[in-house]
Amino acid sequence: QIQLVQSGAEVKKPGASVKVSCKSSGYTFANYGISWVRQAPGQRPEWLAWLSAYTRNTNYAQSLQGRLTVTTDTSTSTAYMELVSLRSDDTAVYYCARGIPVAGKLDYWGQGTLVTVSS
Amino acid sequence: DIQMTQSPSSLSASIGDRVTITCRASQSISSYLNWYQQKPGKPPRLLIYAASSLQSGVPSRFTGSGSGTDFTLAISGLQPEDFATYYCQQSFILPPTFGGGTKVDIK
């Protein structure tokens, strides 16, 4: 079955960086893209970025441009999200999801990674 | 960015009820509208894509309709496992944006 398994919870200080991994299985990784979505407590989901596992093309949300980098390792079917210069309002659950963000759907999701930014 | 507005923000219903949730886009998005269900501590689960197509494995009591700016998610014969928060999401242009959610709880 299709699964996306994310790395564990992180606690970081303001100004630090965090890198979250998302390992896919059960499908041909290179045939799909991976989106990253975050959800702050009690808030709606917020799309952050998308990466094509085949072409390595990327798109980023304007609000995080410059602080967020998404990458993939096709040899291990793993996607990564790195967020730098963390602030308290980056505290959220971060999800990876399979699919394309435009004219498409996010059909399988990771379990989520809680990132807490606190001094 | 396209703004997505859902109504109501919450509703109470009984087992077996028919429930409808509406979603309005700030501009036309054709049929590029997805619906998700989310339970506490879990990721969103795709229910409906392209406004009216049922995702594989989703019960047929969930139906989606609409196009342009106005969309509806209907649940006919509400089941105990349907009590959750529902989000719409437009996939017309970047960035994809989500509605504010509709929480369905037990009356």
Side-chain angles (χ1 to χ4, degrees):
Chain A
Q1 74 281 23
I2 294 170
Q3 284 191 300
L4 283 70
V5 179
Q6 299 182 222
S7 49
E10 303 264 12
V11 180
K12 297 290 184 180
K13 294 191 182 301
S17 301
V18 69
K19 191 169 187 176
V20 177
S21 67
C22 168
K23 183 171 176 59
S24 299
S25 60
Y27 71 98
T28 302
F29 184 71
N31 288 353
Y32 292 83
I34 294 287
S35 276
W36 290 90
V37 175
R38 73 180 177 182
Q39 190 171 28
Q43 301 300 308
R44 71 185 72 187
E46 176 190 13
W47 176 83
L48 303 179
W50 173 78
L51 170 62
S52 165
Y54 180 69
T55 66
R56 307 294 178 94
N57 287 343
T58 56
N59 291 104
Y60 292 94
Q62 196 81 355
S63 60
L64 287 177
Q65 197 97 24
R67 290 204 298 134
L68 180 65
T69 303
V70 293
T71 56
T72 58
D73 180 347
T74 52
S75 70
T76 60
S77 300
T78 302
Y80 298 92
M81 178 214 76
E82 184 172 25
L83 187 60
V84 303
S85 302
L86 287 167
R87 310 186 302 230
S88 58
D89 62 357
D90 291 319
T91 294
V93 177
Y94 288 74
Y95 295 103
C96 59
R98 189 186 82 160
I100 57 175
V102 174
K105 57 185 179 178
L106 302 177
D107 57 1
Y108 289 91
W109 293 62
Q111 83 276 19
T113 297
L114 175 62
V115 175
T116 303
V117 183
S118 173
S119 54
Chain B
D1 297 359
I2 295 178
Q3 308 304 312
M4 306 300 294
T5 303
Q6 287 181 235
S7 61
S9 56
S10 65
L11 64 89
S12 296
S14 300
I15 302 298
D17 283 354
R18 175 180 170 83
V19 166
T20 59
I21 299 168
T22 63
C23 177
R24 175 165 288 176
S26 59
Q27 66 182 75
S28 177
I29 58 171
S30 184
S31 295
Y32 294 105
L33 191 283
N34 303 323
W35 289 98
Y36 299 85
Q37 175 194 68
Q38 187 177 32
K39 297 181 179 180
K42 298 294 187 181
R45 172 197 179 198
L46 179 67
L47 299 175
I48 301 286
Y49 64 96
S52 60
S53 295
L54 191 68
Q55 174 69 4
S56 175
V58 175
S60 58
R61 63 179 178 272
F62 291 92
T63 57
S65 62
S67 66
T69 60
D70 294 312
F71 302 86
T72 299
L73 173 69
I75 312 171
S76 54
L78 200 65
Q79 297 299 300
E81 60 268 29
D82 300 337
F83 292 98
T85 299
Y86 294 84
Y87 293 98
C88 61
Q89 175 242 324
Q90 66 82 14
S91 65
F92 182 64
I93 57 169
L94 288 174
T97 45
F98 291 80
T102 297
K103 185 177 181 180
V104 177
D105 61 22
I106 301 173
K107 184 184 287 185

